Amino acid sequence: METVLAFVIGGLYAAAIYMLLRRSVVKLLIGLGLLSHAANLLIFTAAGLTRGRAPVVTAGAPAAVIADPLPQALILTAIVIGFGVTAFALVLVFRVYSTLRTDNLDRMREADA
Amino acid sequence: MIIASVAAGFGAALIAPVVTRWLRHRAGWLLGTLPAALALYFASLIPQAAGGSATTARLTWVEDLGLSLSLRADSLSLLMALLISGIGALVVVYAGGYLKGHPALGALYAWILAFMASMLGVVLADNLLVLFVFWELTSITSFILIGFHHDNEQARAAALQALLVTAGGGLALLPGLVLLGMAGGTFELSELNLQAARIQSSPLFGPALALVLIGAFTKSAQFPFHFWLPNAMAAPTPVSAYLHSATMVKAGVYLLARLSPALAGGPAWAFSVGGIGAATMLLGGAMALAQTDLKRLLAYSTISALGLLTLLIGIGTPHALEAAMVLLLAHALYKGALFLVAGAVEHETGTRQAPLLGGLARAMPWTAAAAGLAMLSMAGLPPLLGFISKELVYESAFELGWPLAVTIALTLAFSVCVSGVVGLVPFWGRPKPLERHPHEAPPSMTFGPLLLGGLSLVFGLAPGLIDGRLAGPAAAAALGAPVALKLSLWHGLTPALGLSAATLVLGLGLLVFIRLMRTRLHAALRPWGSERVYQAGLTALNLAARGLTQLLQSGYHRRYLTIIVLTTVAAGTFTLMRSGAFNWPAADSPPGYYELGVALLIVAAAVMAVTTSSRLGAVAAMGAAGYGVALIYLIFGAPDLAMTQFLIESLTVILFVLAFHHLPPFARLTTVSERAGDAALALAAGAMMTALVLSAVGVQLYPSISPYYVQAAESLAHARNIVNAILVDFRGIDTLGEICVLAISALGVFALLKMPRRKAEGAPTPEADPQAETGR
Amino acid sequence: MTSFILTTTARLLMPLLFMFSLFLYARGHNEPGGGFVAGLVAGAAWVLYALATDAAQARRALRVQPQSLIGWGLLAALTSGLIGLVLGYPFLTGQWIRLDLPGFGAFELGTPLLFDLGVYLTVLGVTTTIVFALAEE
């Protein structure tokens, strides 16, 4: 499954980077979203996969094989932060569009100059 | 105490502007007492240092890294420190007369005192890195002092040039010193100098030597870096006398002498140091003859003298080092005096052009007397110190054969001629018509040159004052072995004396014909300026910087991204291609069919997000990919992640949909070939990431910390959900930071949407921008 | 964009979602759940309400300003850290007390729970602030 996921991650990265390279800023935002999926999945996979057991210890019971909690804590943080960033970027784009009337990044650059 | 002696200068620099505002041009007499007191303090350390026990002080900073502010005053350091503080006192006094009424006199004092403190730091430092820090400080203070007349474009260019050359040398010096410290196993100079065998057998020796030499040569204006020094004459004359003759330019020479016990001995040292010194000496001497401006003349002659000092240190025999130390002192005394005299002449007559000056002795008797003493010492006539130093130079040169002695004699004949042009011709003969009627300079400006000239005479008549106490032990420090120096005026009828006589005759002959030779010499020496190399280098650097900036800072996000992604892909691929870097996962669990289904869902969603022309379709596809990722989390034991991801994904899609009301539909903005190129780059990046993940799976370079969390969750965090325990307890401060970021982004969104808006088109109208009215 | 079915469903779902969110928060320390997820569920409930009715009505129903929820959340998290500090431990060191309530059994209260509450409130405030503001455009 690790091999399969490696290809999934590669596909997500490819899609994200292609979208990031677009001139339409909304596509760029979608690329940003895909990029964070790719990065989270990368951390998750690289740390090693464990089927089933969540990282929860049972009271009194001997330690069973459980998933690694550390990458999970990292990713949980990353997901929520990603939401904050996406929301801010989206609203920023929205405001820029309502001022400049364009979503073309090249035109925004001209407006800047 | 010795640390305070360095710190005092910086402290005085801080109060100098205030003192100057209060006492105006008379402030120099007060401010000059500090360097004078320092000079007395350093003089009081001489007997102890001559006895072989240097005064040391140390402030430990980072013990483990061997970083400490350690200072050490042995005879070599004290010789320099005395020159720095003594001439510093005279220059401070002199500047008050020279720049009387100048509005920035206080700043000049501040920078001169700061320079003095930095320079004292250089010569007293016993740690290579401390030395380097002070070394750079002298470059910076020198930059500011050269550019003192900053409303003059030429002065600014000269300041920049001096900075680029000396700081560029500093850039070479730093790695050189670090390599040297690594080769010797210590950064303490006093210990390093005992490790000569270890250093010179180290593979780091070659690069270390080359880099240190570049640093020393740039600072001491050695060929081919000599061109900055004449241009630095744009500085006010007291600065030129102080920095660019007596002290700072000798820092390179000092460094060579200081490190010579550790570095000298091999052919590399002798040929590079001696060869460059000899070339600089001849070139500087010849170029000096071609000048008419008194200060430039002195500057080239200083280059020549620095070359001779370097040559002597390169020779490195006991006699050569003794000669170097006496010459160092003699040169500082006479050259400093002549610079100050040149400044006084310019101050009183309004010109520094040698051909326009004559017969000033009647109007300026004290200046003329100082000039005469300094000139006689520079020309090497008895009974001045210059004579003694010249005899020593010749004697040490004869040890290596007469060709060397004759070459040096030729240079010193140039020097005789220069001394005549500066110290003799302007004061004697028929007075020439001048725009201004010359007067004697004020006492503040005659005091310094008279004292320096007087010292040349005193030390010449009574060389016993310096030989065993200062110059001898200083030479011993440079040699790393004791020497017995005994100076006297009369050596008997030696070959050196004969050569001295010949030098004098040749020099006087040159002086007679100097006017006829100047233009031709000037034309002949032009190609050796190497300043054009500097100009071409500067232009090329500017062009390259502009080109690089235009390439990297285009303002188009796609180009930035393309460069970043390309670099990452290239670097990543290169690393993975190296043998052994790429591996298939060792433990690969066979995928279940539903897991394969999820994987396919994610990939299909990603493809759709890229290809669809509908905004909603793209957002929905992104959301579907996110749900797919959430399912992966769910399958592989991360229910917390799965829940969070489902919710966040839903919220994100809702946000996009809400915003789409106000955003334009997708449009194709690129050509087919642009899209194909982007796609190729994206696929390459994806492939590289896949290879990276495949290689990274299951690799554990360091022991994981997770078992600790698993073990401690219940006992320390009172929690059984380890992920939650990490978030709210073990790494609580990270989470606190994270919710702060979230809060800021939410407030940012709120502010962006609820702020009063400006008009869409054109500049903001006044009522929309109240700051524009009330801001003033 | 109001539809009768959506509005009705939202009204019915709201209490359920809130209870679910409290449940997730309460059990989060020992079972999957926790402040982040619970806050998101509560936020999602309000988002659903805002979409079903309109943002202004949702804002009225929430009674407090969404931004002030963020402030309370951060304050709670900060306080939980300061409690340890006041007691002479490093900032954010967990402090626990054990309560024995007759009839309910043993019960543990600790500053990490307060911290998690802070996370909950912050996440709730952030989601509602963002969505309400955007929905009002």
Side-chain angles (χ1 to χ4, degrees):
Chain A
M1 191 59 194
E2 280 84 351
T3 312
V4 175
L5 280 185
F7 282 96
V8 171
I9 291 165
L12 279 174
Y13 265 106
I17 288 171
Y18 181 81
M19 290 301 266
L20 286 173
L21 287 167
R22 300 302 88 208
R23 279 187 220 178
S24 160
V25 72
V26 179
K27 287 191 180 179
L28 186 141
L29 289 181
I30 290 172
L32 215 53
L34 289 172
L35 192 70
S36 76
H37 292 337
N40 291 339
L41 203 54
L42 169 82
I43 299 174
F44 193 70
T45 309
L49 300 173
T50 313
R51 280 198 179 75
R53 297 275 309 153
V56 173
V57 283
T58 326
V65 177
I66 54 170
D68 191 345
L70 193 62
Q72 294 196 19
L74 281 176
I75 297 169
L76 190 76
T77 316
I79 294 171
V80 184
I81 288 267
F83 171 71
V85 171
T86 309
F88 184 78
L90 187 68
V91 173
L92 192 65
V93 166
F94 168 76
R95 278 305 303 265
V96 167
Y97 179 74
S98 64
T99 307
L100 295 176
R101 289 285 142 199
T102 178
D103 75 330
N104 182 340
L105 278 161
D106 289 6
R107 300 267 305 278
M108 287 182 200
R109 178 182 179 273
E110 288 149 22
D112 186 45
Chain B
M1 184 65 190
I2 191 168
I3 292 176
S5 73
V6 175
F10 290 116
L14 287 178
I15 60 162
V18 183
V19 174
T20 310
R21 189 171 304 166
W22 169 43
L23 288 172
R24 292 198 301 277
H25 65 275
R26 285 177 294 275
W29 294 100
L30 179 63
L31 291 170
T33 55
L34 172 76
L38 288 176
L40 289 177
Y41 166 68
F42 292 128
S44 75
L45 298 178
I46 288 177
Q48 199 193 341
S53 62
T55 312
T56 58
R58 171 189 288 253
L59 275 180
T60 306
W61 180 32
V62 185
E63 185 71 61
D64 294 343
L65 296 177
L67 288 178
S68 55
L69 176 67
S70 53
L71 301 182
R72 185 168 183 273
D74 67 354
S75 293
L76 178 56
S77 299
L78 283 177
L79 172 63
M80 288 296 294
L82 273 170
L83 289 176
I84 294 159
S85 51
I87 298 182
L90 302 179
V91 160
V92 165
V93 169
Y94 182 94
Y98 184 78
L99 284 175
K100 185 177 171 182
H102 195 286
L105 182 60
L108 183 79
Y109 278 139
W111 288 112
I112 285 183
L113 289 167
F115 163 78
M116 179 193 76
S118 319
M119 193 66 209
L120 286 174
V122 170
V123 299
L124 292 171
D126 195 32
N127 181 298
L128 289 176
L129 301 174
V130 173
L131 184 145
F132 178 77
V133 169
F134 284 117
W135 180 282
E136 291 292 273
L137 279 175
T138 64
S139 291
I140 293 165
T141 43
S142 160
F143 164 71
I144 292 169
L145 285 167
I146 297 171
F148 178 71
H149 295 298
H150 53 77
D151 43 3
N152 177 346
E153 191 185 339
Q154 207 190 337
R156 290 200 303 270
L160 183 66
Q161 187 182 53
L163 182 72
L164 287 178
V165 174
T166 55
L171 220 53
L173 182 64
L174 178 60
L177 293 178
V178 170
L179 290 179
L180 190 60
M182 286 163 66
T186 174
F187 280 90
E188 298 295 304
L189 271 163
S190 44
E191 296 166 25
L192 200 67
N193 276 338
L194 304 173
Q195 304 284 338
R198 179 176 169 183
I199 292 169
Q200 299 194 11
S201 60
S202 158
L204 299 176
F205 175 63
L209 178 66
L211 291 167
V212 168
L213 288 185
I214 291 175
F217 288 166
T218 48
K219 197 77 162 183
S220 279
Q222 299 294 296
F223 177 80
F225 308 114
H226 60 280
F227 53 87
W228 71 265
L229 187 57
N231 293 336
M233 294 302 128
T237 300
V239 170
S240 307
Y242 191 31
L243 275 69
H244 306 123
S245 166
T247 59
M248 186 185 88
V249 288
K250 294 215 170 73
V253 174
Y254 165 80
L255 185 69
L256 294 178
R258 174 51 77 207
L259 289 173
S260 113
L263 298 177
W269 171 271
F271 281 109
S272 52
V273 177
I276 292 288
T280 311
M281 168 185 87
L282 275 172
L283 191 67
M287 283 180 138
L289 297 184
Q291 306 300 320
T292 55
D293 179 321
L294 291 181
K295 278 180 75 178
R296 288 183 75 86
L297 195 85
L298 288 170
Y300 278 110
S301 137
T302 302
I303 292 175
S304 177
L306 293 167
L308 178 54
L309 283 168
T310 307
L311 169 63
L312 289 168
I313 292 170
I315 294 171
T317 58
H319 282 127
L321 291 174
E322 288 167 9
M325 292 306 132
V326 179
L327 177 63
L328 183 76
L329 177 62
H331 176 260
L333 294 178
Y334 70 68
K335 197 56 72 60
L338 285 179
F339 261 110
L340 296 179
V341 164
V345 168
E346 183 196 8
H347 192 254
E348 299 306 320
T349 65
T351 180
R352 301 198 299 239
Q353 289 299 320
L356 302 180
L357 296 165
L360 292 171
R362 194 179 299 269
M364 307 174 70
W366 291 111
T367 308
L373 284 171
M375 178 214 88
L376 291 174
S377 186
M378 182 172 175
L381 286 170
L384 290 108
L385 186 60
F387 172 72
I388 297 176
S389 79
K390 186 179 59 173
E391 296 295 290
L392 280 177
V393 169
Y394 284 162
E395 276 170 29
S396 62
F398 271 121
E399 289 177 359
L400 273 84
W402 62 267
L404 182 65
V406 171
T407 316
I408 296 178
L410 181 66
T411 318
L412 292 184
F414 294 158
S415 172
V416 170
C417 175
V418 166
S419 73
V421 173
V422 182
L424 196 66
V425 177
F427 296 97
W428 307 99
R430 246 178 306 127
K432 294 191 177 167
L434 288 163
E435 290 174 17
R436 241 188 267 179
H437 186 65
H439 297 276
E440 182 57 277
S444 56
M445 293 177 67
T446 50
F447 175 68
L450 273 174
L451 187 61
L452 292 173
L455 281 175
S456 294
L457 182 63
V458 170
F459 290 149
L461 289 171
L465 287 173
I466 51 165
D467 55 3
R469 289 192 178 89
L470 195 56
L479 184 66
V483 298
L485 177 64
K486 191 85 192 89
L487 299 177
S488 61
L489 269 175
W490 178 249
H491 291 250
L493 288 169
T494 56
L497 192 65
L499 198 54
S500 280
T503 309
L504 197 63
V505 173
L506 181 59
L508 289 175
L510 284 170
L511 185 58
V512 173
F513 295 107
I514 183 82
R515 235 168 280 176
L516 304 175
M517 302 187 315
R518 252 185 206 129
T519 25
R520 220 169 294 169
L521 202 58
H522 199 268
L525 290 171
R526 185 174 277 274
W528 291 91
S530 69
E531 191 172 352
R532 264 185 289 177
V533 179
Y534 164 83
Q535 287 298 351
L538 198 62
T539 315
L541 184 70
N542 280 335
L543 278 178
R546 189 177 306 159
L548 198 63
T549 310
Q550 273 169 357
L551 182 71
L552 294 179
Q553 303 289 333
S554 59
Y556 292 102
H557 87 286
R558 286 169 289 125
R559 298 219 188 126
Y560 296 112
L561 272 178
T562 307
I563 291 169
I564 293 169
V565 173
L566 261 180
T567 313
T568 314
V569 170
T573 311
F574 175 75
T575 311
L576 286 168
M577 297 265 269
R578 286 164 57 185
S579 59
F582 176 78
N583 291 305
W584 289 93
D588 193 2
S589 51
Y593 64 92
Y594 56 94
E595 293 167 0
L596 279 178
V598 174
L600 266 178
L601 164 77
I602 299 175
V603 174
V607 170
M608 178 177 169
V610 170
T611 49
T612 181
S613 61
S614 133
R615 297 180 307 176
L616 281 177
V619 169
M622 180 186 75
Y627 284 152
V629 173
L631 285 172
I632 299 280
Y633 293 150
L634 195 60
I635 294 168
F636 291 98
D640 284 326
L641 289 190
M643 279 191 282
T644 313
Q645 176 80 38
F646 276 123
L647 286 162
I648 290 284
E649 215 48 52
S650 313
L651 281 171
T652 308
V653 170
I654 289 171
L655 282 186
F656 269 93
V657 172
L658 283 175
F660 279 167
H661 279 305
H662 312 281
L663 288 174
F666 281 173
R668 282 254 152 87
L669 298 167
T670 43
T671 61
V672 177
S673 62
E674 275 178 305
R675 286 201 295 277
D678 290 349
L681 182 62
L683 286 173
M688 199 272 292
M689 291 311 290
T690 298
L692 203 61
V693 177
L694 287 174
S695 310
V697 164
V699 175
Q700 190 79 46
L701 294 176
Y702 299 96
S704 169
I705 197 178
S706 301
Y708 165 77
Y709 287 141
V710 173
Q711 207 181 12
E714 194 146 30
S715 55
L716 288 181
H718 301 250
R720 289 198 296 276
N721 180 352
I722 303 158
V723 176
N724 190 256
I726 293 176
L727 286 173
V728 301
D729 201 328
F730 292 123
R731 308 293 309 172
I733 201 148
D734 295 349
T735 311
L736 187 63
E738 190 211 339
I739 56 177
C740 285
V741 172
L742 275 181
I744 291 165
S745 82
L747 295 180
V749 167
F750 188 76
L752 277 174
L753 289 174
K754 301 290 179 187
M755 268 185 324
R757 294 197 189 177
R758 290 178 184 176
K759 291 244 166 64
E761 284 90 24
T765 49
E767 65 268 23
D769 193 2
Q771 294 277 310
E773 287 299 313
T774 57
R776 292 191 181 259
Chain C
M1 142 134 178
T2 48
S3 88
F4 178 72
I5 298 175
L6 188 60
T7 317
T8 317
T9 323
R11 290 229 165 109
L12 286 172
L13 271 176
M14 283 278 287
L16 281 174
L17 282 172
F18 277 122
M19 279 164 65
F20 182 53
S21 110
L22 288 176
F23 166 74
L24 279 175
Y25 164 73
R27 72 171 212 149
H29 216 55
N30 293 326
E31 299 290 330
F36 276 112
V37 182
L40 282 170
V41 169
W46 282 107
V47 171
L48 183 67
Y49 189 71
L51 291 182
T53 58
D54 64 68
Q57 195 175 336
R59 218 179 251 285
R60 278 195 301 279
L62 183 62
R63 310 221 172 162
V64 290
Q65 286 279 330
Q67 305 90 281
S68 64
L69 284 176
I70 302 177
W72 286 113
L74 290 178
L75 195 65
L78 201 64
T79 311
S80 83
L82 290 176
I83 290 173
L85 201 65
V86 167
L87 295 176
Y89 297 94
F91 183 62
L92 275 172
T93 309
Q95 305 297 326
W96 292 88
I97 47 168
R98 196 182 173 85
L99 295 178
D100 278 310
L101 295 179
F104 285 95
F107 205 60
E108 277 193 317
L109 270 184
T111 52
L113 296 179
L114 181 60
F115 187 87
D116 219 11
L117 181 67
V119 172
Y120 177 99
L121 289 175
T122 309
V123 171
L124 172 62
V126 166
T127 26
T128 45
T129 301
I130 293 175
V131 175
F132 286 3
L134 201 56
E136 277 162 359
E137 279 302 315

